[in-house]
Every structure is written in structure tokens, then in C-alpha cells.
């Protein structure tokens, strides 16, 4: 049954069965004028001893034209195979959900789902509690950080495969295949929620897949041996590898451990685009692609359902006809979907929001650390703080594999890819965020500009606050022997680890601080006006604490902007596929 028909009783649109009660501020399920109304509780309301949300009962005014005289109210819909509800007066704990099957819905792109949560989590979180049983989860097998945090940057891995399960999808061929990691995006949301980066990982990128402890479909544990120098897409579906193995592969590749991961199926594209009333895309030329079944003329089109799926699957008719061109096309589609999800036309429509919630949770598969509506709601509220103009889509910088005569795979562009990974790890925006730029310029102007003391007058104590062991000693040697900072000393380990290197100094040490910052390659934000300390000779000194970002003596400590020539686009701009 499709998303529009799901939950429908006697031709009543499911969106019309949910109304906002102005007396309670909550959405209520109106099944008939005479039936009691089931109230969906706010996540802030107390939980019952059995673990379920407390549910109230309240009457609501009748709406003309909705009742069907003489018809009994159908029982509430439950998932196939779930146990029946106990009779009234005998409610206890909610039945324990059956263990999720790993093979369900591990398809197409999880990117769609993250962006749905972004919108629905903000405007429809009251309704999401009703949809908790729709969620399917798979074990994270320790491959994630254990869950996102509200006061830190967020990294969500969005995984898709080319497996052909789902209604109507067998016609696309490759029936019965275990599937591969076909479309994968690492979504990074900044700590202050002012910007985000969606990094696409090419399926044909040559990577090393680490050993993967996995939970198999039958619940057994198995360590799947790693593989070196293979396509990224083999990190899922092959040799029994589950999504947690794809997560481990991304960590091995980028150095970034995802907080959570999501996966979804082909049908998500169809139902979600239909739920929002279509997504507007632009073509710079006519396309008639027999492989993806996309046939559209040049210009702007509003697409949904099968046409939307054909659009994101198109490869041979755009760009150079390869996977990298399809990635750009999918990024354009997700940008358009983002704009539609965040538009007033969607967010102010209860009907669209309810259809989105139904379609989204039916298609969604999440890791075991993100397996409840409340967790998804909290994630959605964090993502909802983002302005789409500050969401940048980019792709891991790659080049043709030099080991191949016929070019079918790609390898990392070593001059650019590590820089991109460092930007994400250090929470640096790929987008010009005006407020951030103003603050950074002010910090640089106030702390870096001005006279600099001679290196021989710089007095500093060096602490290791998270850098590689021996870094403080190596830096001391380098400063004294090569930079002339002879009044420096190694003060051992810092009382706590820091993510970034800092230099703390008193106001009268500003000239010394500017000299040391120039030598070390520190940014203005790394300089912390404060107070001086006393060195081993009883003299005032600054404190240089080497953080986790420290790469070695003489290596600049921060990357301030993305490479100029990498592929990137922002979600607020309409681009036409070429």
C-alpha cells in the first residue's frame, strides 16, 4: 500500500484524521465523530511505568462531511506480524519489538532521510511519536561514536545500496543481488549549527576495508576479514558486510568516526517526492536515457515518484556519463528536495508533513543507537537549526586510477583529499558564513596585527594537551635550535586534552604572542588572552598547549578554507544538469 493510501478508512485522507486540539496543543487522531480521540503526547510529557508515553483521551468537535453513518471504526493499524493490542484495562508494557532484520530497506540513499528528519523533526515532532513502530534498526557493531551530541559537531553517515528489493524495483535489473554501497554521503553539521557539509564518496573509489565485527541477520557475531585496494562499494552487501562495515571503511578513509548512520530504499525517493507534491529540477538539455528510464525535455520540471527515481539513477546521459557525474546530479536533486522540505508550502501543510512522516519512517533504517522517534526528533531539531544556504555539497577529490589502462576506478587526489578531511574534522565551513567571517576577521585583527617581539625575548612553557607523545619535546628542540626561541621549556602534559592548540598570554605579552603565533602558524582564534604563568626560573611566561590538531613542529596548525578548485555547490542554488 502506498503512503497516500496507508491508514485510510473509507476514503478519508489520513492527513484529515489528525487535527490540532487548541485546548491541549496536541495532535489528535479523529477516527469518527463519536469515537474517543487518541491523543499523541508531546515528548515532554512523562512516561508511563511500562515505558510507553502516557496517553490521554479527549473529545473533539465534529467536522461535517467526515463521518460514515453505520460504519464501525476500524482498529488501529499495526505492523505486519506484530502482536495484537491487549484489551482495555489490561495494558502493561508495550510489546518488545521483534529484532530488526538487517536486510530490510538497506537501499538507495540515506541522504534523503536525513533531510526529511531535518524538516519533520522541527515541525512534526508531536506526530513522530505515533510512528515509532515504523522504524527498523540494525546493529552499529561499535562502528559509531555511540550517538550524536547536542553540544558538539554532528557527523551522520548516509548509506545507500543498489539492491533491488521494494515494490516495483525488480524491473531495474540485478534482481537477487546482495547489493553494494552505491551512494554514500557523510553529512557534517557544525558545532554552532551555522553550516554543514555533505561529502559524497564515489562508489568506485579504491580503498582499504578494515576487519569488520558484524551482527549477522540471525543475530550471530562474525568478524569479516578486511580487503586492501578494493572498490568502496564492496564495503556493504559483499561477504556478509553490513552498514557498520561501511561506517568503519569511511573512518579508515577520512579519519572521521560517524556518530550515527542511516539507510533507506528506492521507494523512499518515490514516496517522499510524492508526499511533498514534487521536487523542481532543471535540465540544460533533453534527456532520453533507456537505462534509467528518464525522459525529460530541456528546462525546469517538477518530478515525483518513478520519474524522481529515474532522475537520481541517471548516469550515461549527463556530464561525462560516469558515476562522478551522477553524484553531481544526485546532489542537485537533494538540494532541490531540501529547498522543498524547508519551504513554507511544506512546513505549514499538516497534510504534507503527515505524509512525509509516514513515508519517511516506513523507508528509514537506522543504527541501533538511533532507533527511537525521540532520538530522531532530537536529531531533527538540531539539523533544523541549519539554513540551507550554508549547506555545501562536495565530493571526495579523486583522480583516475593510474594502474588501469581502461579507466573504471578512481583513487584519492592526495594533494586535495586530506585537506578536505581536515576541514571537516576541524569543523571548518566550506561556505562563506558572514557572521563567522566577521568574528574571525575581528580576532585576527585584534590578536595577530601589531608589533612582534624578537624570538629571543619570547618566554613560553610548552604542554602536551592531546598531541602525539613526544610532541612537546620535539617542539622545544625546534623552537630553540631553529627559531631562536631560547627562553622556552617543556612543562610536560596538560591537565586535560584539547582538540585544538592554544596559546594563552597576558596583555603585556601580546608582542611575544604575535611572534610565537607567526612561528607556529597559529590563527587568531588559537590565541587566548588571559594570564601569564611562572616558568622554572620564576619568571612570567606564556603557555603553549599542543592539542589533538598538532601535526608536528613547523607544520601550520590550521586549515582556514577549502581548496579553490574542488567540486562544490550549496543547497540554496538551482543548478541545471548538463
Amino acid at each position: 500500500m502506498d503512503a497516500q493510501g496507508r491508514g485510510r478508512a473509507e476514503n478519508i485522507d489520513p492527513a484529515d484524521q489528525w487535527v490540532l486540539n487548541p485546548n491541549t496543543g496536541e495532535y489528535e487522531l479523529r477516527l469518527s465523530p463519536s469515537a474517543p480521540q487518541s491523543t499523541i503526547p508531546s515528548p515532554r510529557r512523562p512516561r508511563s511505568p511500562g515505558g510507553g508515553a502516557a496517553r490521554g483521551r479527549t473529545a473533539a468537535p465534529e467536522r461535517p462531511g467526515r463521518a460514515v453513518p453505520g460504519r464501525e471504526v476500524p482498529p488501529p493499524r499495526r505492523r505486519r506480524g506484530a502482536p495484537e493490542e491487549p484489551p482495555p484495562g489490561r495494558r502493561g508494557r508495550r510489546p518488545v519489538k521483534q529484532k530488526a532484520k538487517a536486510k530490510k530497506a538497506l537501499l538507495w540513499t540515506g541522504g534523503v532521510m536525513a533531510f526529511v528528519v531535518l524538516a519533520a523533526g522541527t515541525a512534526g515532532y508531536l506526530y513522530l511519536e505515533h510512528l515509532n513502530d515504523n522504524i527498523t534498526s540494525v546493529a552499529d557493531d561499535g562502528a559509531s561514536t555511540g550517538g550524536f551530541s547536542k553540544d558538539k559537531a554532528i557527523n551522520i553517515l548516509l548509506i545507500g545500496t543498489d539492491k533491488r528489493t521494494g515494490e516495483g524495483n525488480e524491473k531495474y535489473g540485478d534482481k537477487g543481488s546482495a547489493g553494494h554501497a552505491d551512494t554514500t554521503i557523510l553529512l557534517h553539521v557544525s558545532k554552532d549549527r551555522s553550516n554543514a557539509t555533505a561529502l559524497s564518496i564515489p562508489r568506485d573509489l579504491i580503498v582499504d576495508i578494515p576487519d569488520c565485527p558484524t551482527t549477522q541477520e540471525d543475530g550471530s557475531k562474525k568478524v569479516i576479514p578486511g580487503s586492501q585496494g578494493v572498490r568502496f562499494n564492496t564495503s556493504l552487501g559483499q561477504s556478509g558486510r553490513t552498514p557498520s562495515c561501511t561506517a568503519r571503511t569511511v573512518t579508515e578513509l577520512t579519519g572521521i568516526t560517524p556518530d550515527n548512520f542511516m539507510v533507506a530504499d528506492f521507494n523512499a525517493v518515490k514516496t517522499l517526492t510524492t508526499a511533498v507534491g514534487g521536487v523542481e529540477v532543471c535540465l540544460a538539455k533533453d534527456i532520453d536515457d533507456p537505462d534509467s528510464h528518464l525522459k525529460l525535455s530541456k528546462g525546469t520540471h517538477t518530478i515525483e515518484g518513478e520519474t524522481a527515481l529515474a532522475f537520481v539513477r541517471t548516469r550515461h546521459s549527463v556530464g561525462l556519463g560516469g558515476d562522478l557525474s551522477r553524484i553531481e546530479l544526485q546532489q542537485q536533486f537533494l538540494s532541490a528536495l531540501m529547498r522543498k522540505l524547508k519551504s513554507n508550502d511544506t512546513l505549514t501543510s499538516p497534510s504534507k508533513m503527515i505524509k512525509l512522516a509516514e513515508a519517511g519512517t516506513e523507508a528509514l533504517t537506522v543504527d541501533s543507537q538511533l532507533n527511537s522517534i525521540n532520538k530522531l526528533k532530537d536529531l531533527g531539531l538540531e539539523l533544523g537549526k541549519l539554513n540551507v544556504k550554508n549547506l555545501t555539497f562536495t565530493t571526495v577529490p579523486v583522480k583516475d586510477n593510474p594502474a588501469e589502462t581502461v579507466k573504471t576506478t578512481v583513487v584519492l587526489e592526495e594533494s586535495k583529499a586530506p585537506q578536505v578531511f581536515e576541514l571537516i574534522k576541524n569543523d571548518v565551513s566550506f561556505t562563506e558564513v558572514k557572521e563567522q567571517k566577521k568574528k574571525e576577521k575581528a580576532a585576527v585583527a585584534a590578536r595577530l596585527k601589531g608589533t612582534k617581539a624578537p624570538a629571543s625575548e619570547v618566554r613560553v612553557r610548552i604542554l602536551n594537551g592531546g598531541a602525539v607523545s613526544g610532541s612537546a619535546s620535539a617542539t622545544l628542540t625546534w623552537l630553540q635550535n631553529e627559531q631562536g626561541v631560547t627562553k622556552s621549556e617543556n612543562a610536560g602534559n596538560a591537565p586535560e586534552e584539547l582538540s585544538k592548540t592554544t596559546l594563552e598570554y597576558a596583555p603585556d605579552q601580546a608582542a611575544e604572542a604575535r611572534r610565537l603565533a607567526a612561528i607556529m602558524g597559529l590563527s587568531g582564534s588559537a590565541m587566548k588572552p588571559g594570564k601569564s604563568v611562572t616558568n622554572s626560573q620564576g619568571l612570567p611566561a606564556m603557555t603553549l598547549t599542543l592539542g589533538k590538531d598538532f601535526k608536528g613542529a613547523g607544520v601550520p596548525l590550521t586549515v582556514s578554507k577549502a581548496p579553490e578548485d574542488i567540486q562544490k555547490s550549496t543547497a540554496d542554488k538551482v543548478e541545471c544538469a548538463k
Side-chain angles (χ1 to χ4, degrees):
M1 183 178 295
D2 62 23
Q4 292 177 333
R6 190 180 297 115
R8 183 167 298 186
E10 302 299 336
N11 296 319
I12 299 176
D13 192 310
D16 293 326
Q17 294 177 293
W18 289 90
V19 296
L20 180 66
N21 187 330
N23 296 322
T24 64
E26 296 173 337
Y27 284 93
E28 299 174 351
L29 178 61
R30 176 172 289 112
L31 297 176
S32 77
S34 59
Q37 307 307 313
S38 175
T39 303
I40 294 301
S42 164
R44 294 187 295 270
R45 291 181 60 179
R47 311 292 291 183
S48 69
R55 298 184 180 272
R57 297 287 181 180
T58 181
E62 297 183 6
R63 294 179 64 190
R66 293 295 180 190
V68 182
R71 298 285 179 90
E72 292 184 359
V73 178
R77 175 182 174 270
R78 57 186 174 88
R79 289 180 70 83
R80 187 175 302 167
E84 295 184 0
E85 288 284 324
R90 293 180 58 187
R91 291 185 179 271
R93 288 183 177 270
R94 294 175 67 184
V96 177
K97 292 197 303 182
Q98 293 182 348
K99 186 167 185 177
K101 292 186 177 180
K103 69 178 183 179
K104 179 185 175 186
L106 304 182
L107 311 166
W108 192 66
T109 175
V112 174
M113 291 315 309
F115 303 125
V116 170
V117 172
L118 187 154
T122 302
Y125 72 91
L126 291 176
Y127 180 63
L128 291 180
E129 181 69 22
H130 166 68
L131 303 169
N132 200 62
D133 288 340
N134 283 0
I135 300 174
T136 299
S137 67
V138 293
D140 83 325
D141 295 313
S144 70
T145 65
F148 71 93
S149 174
K150 294 182 180 180
D151 57 357
K152 295 181 180 179
I154 298 173
N155 293 296
I156 304 294
L157 185 63
L158 316 167
I159 308 171
T161 88
D162 53 8
K163 192 175 180 181
R164 263 63 166 173
T165 56
E167 183 179 353
N169 297 321
E170 66 281 351
K171 65 185 178 184
Y172 298 115
D174 207 19
K175 183 178 180 181
S177 168
H180 306 77
D182 191 51
T183 300
T184 304
I185 296 174
L186 179 63
L187 175 65
H188 172 84
V189 184
S190 67
K191 179 179 178 180
D192 64 5
R193 310 299 185 249
S194 67
N195 63 87
T197 302
L199 179 68
S200 292
I201 302 174
R203 68 175 188 176
D204 296 325
L205 174 63
I206 296 300
V207 299
D208 292 337
I209 299 176
D211 292 346
C212 296
T214 63
T215 302
Q216 297 296 297
E217 184 178 340
D218 61 3
S220 63
K221 305 290 185 178
K222 179 181 179 182
V223 177
I224 300 173
S227 302
Q228 284 68 51
V230 296
R231 277 184 167 94
F232 175 81
N233 68 352
T234 60
S235 66
L236 176 63
Q238 308 305 300
S239 303
R241 292 181 177 127
T242 64
S244 67
C245 193
T246 303
R248 291 184 191 277
T249 304
V250 170
T251 300
E252 182 85 4
L253 173 69
T254 66
I256 301 166
T257 302
D259 296 309
N260 296 103
F261 60 75
M262 295 182 179
V263 288
D265 62 15
F266 270 40
N267 290 326
V269 184
K270 304 177 191 178
T271 56
L272 293 173
T273 52
T274 301
V276 296
V279 172
E280 186 176 277
V281 297
C282 181
L283 298 177
K285 62 181 181 181
D286 296 342
I287 289 183
D288 187 357
D289 190 334
D291 294 315
S292 69
H293 308 293
L294 180 68
K295 186 174 183 179
L296 289 175
S297 60
K298 174 182 177 181
T300 301
H301 299 270
T302 299
I303 60 175
E304 61 181 78
E306 291 287 349
T307 304
L309 180 59
F311 185 87
V312 299
R313 294 184 65 249
T314 295
R315 175 176 55 172
H316 301 300
S317 299
V318 293
L320 299 176
D323 186 52
L324 296 180
S325 297
R326 182 173 64 172
I327 285 176
E328 292 186 32
L329 191 72
Q330 291 172 346
Q331 291 173 348
Q332 293 167 17
F333 171 81
L334 289 173
S335 294
L337 179 58
M338 271 293 300
R339 291 191 296 271
K340 189 61 176 286
L341 288 171
K342 296 286 283 184
S343 69
N344 287 334
D345 178 54
T346 299
L347 294 177
T348 59
S349 170
S351 174
K352 287 182 179 179
M353 291 304 298
I354 288 171
K355 290 175 181 177
L356 268 172
E358 290 281 0
T361 53
E362 282 288 347
L364 177 65
T365 296
V366 298
D367 71 74
S368 51
Q369 305 295 331
L370 194 63
N371 61 352
S372 75
I373 287 297
N374 280 340
K375 291 178 182 178
L376 286 172
K377 179 264 297 180
D378 288 342
L379 175 60
L381 290 174
E382 292 303 308
L383 298 179
K385 299 174 183 177
L386 177 69
N387 188 320
V388 294
K389 72 178 182 180
N390 296 328
L391 169 60
T392 304
F393 286 92
T394 189
T395 304
V396 173
V398 296
K399 61 183 180 182
D400 287 336
N401 189 347
E404 295 177 335
T405 302
V406 178
K407 305 302 181 183
T408 58
T409 63
V410 293
V411 296
L412 287 183
E413 177 61 75
E414 293 293 348
S415 65
K416 300 175 185 177
Q419 188 175 355
V420 169
F421 301 151
E422 285 299 308
L423 283 170
I424 295 176
K425 282 194 286 187
N426 293 327
D427 202 21
V428 178
S429 173
F430 283 61
T431 307
E432 294 285 332
V433 182
K434 293 182 180 179
E435 198 61 34
Q436 278 192 332
K437 296 298 289 184
K438 288 180 181 178
K439 290 180 180 180
E440 181 64 20
K441 287 180 180 179
V444 170
R447 300 171 188 173
L448 293 179
K449 290 184 178 180
T451 59
K452 298 180 179 68
S456 60
E457 295 181 7
V458 174
R459 190 179 286 109
V460 60
R461 300 177 76 241
I462 307 169
L463 297 172
N464 190 327
V468 174
S469 178
S471 293
S473 177
T475 301
L476 174 66
T477 301
W478 177 73
L479 287 175
Q480 290 185 340
N481 296 342
E482 298 185 34
Q483 301 301 319
V485 184
T486 56
K487 297 177 181 179
S488 52
E489 65 182 38
N490 183 352
N493 292 328
E496 60 181 359
E497 293 189 351
L498 301 179
S499 60
K500 296 186 178 181
T501 297
T502 62
L503 174 62
E504 185 176 2
Y505 59 96
D508 61 352
Q509 296 171 315
E512 294 178 44
R514 284 191 285 268
R515 171 60 65 192
L516 188 58
I519 292 173
M520 297 292 297
L522 295 174
S523 68
S525 60
M527 300 173 67
K528 306 296 182 183
K531 60 182 181 180
S532 66
V533 294
T534 302
N535 67 8
S536 60
Q537 296 176 329
L539 299 173
M542 301 181 295
T543 301
L544 175 65
T545 304
L546 306 179
K548 294 179 180 179
D549 64 338
F550 184 73
K551 299 298 186 297
V555 180
L557 295 174
T558 57
V559 179
S560 60
K561 62 179 181 178
E564 294 294 334
D565 54 350
I566 67 168
Q567 176 269 328
K568 60 180 180 178
S569 61
T570 53
D572 63 319
K573 296 179 181 179
V574 178
E575 298 190 23
C576 296
K578 299 177 181 179

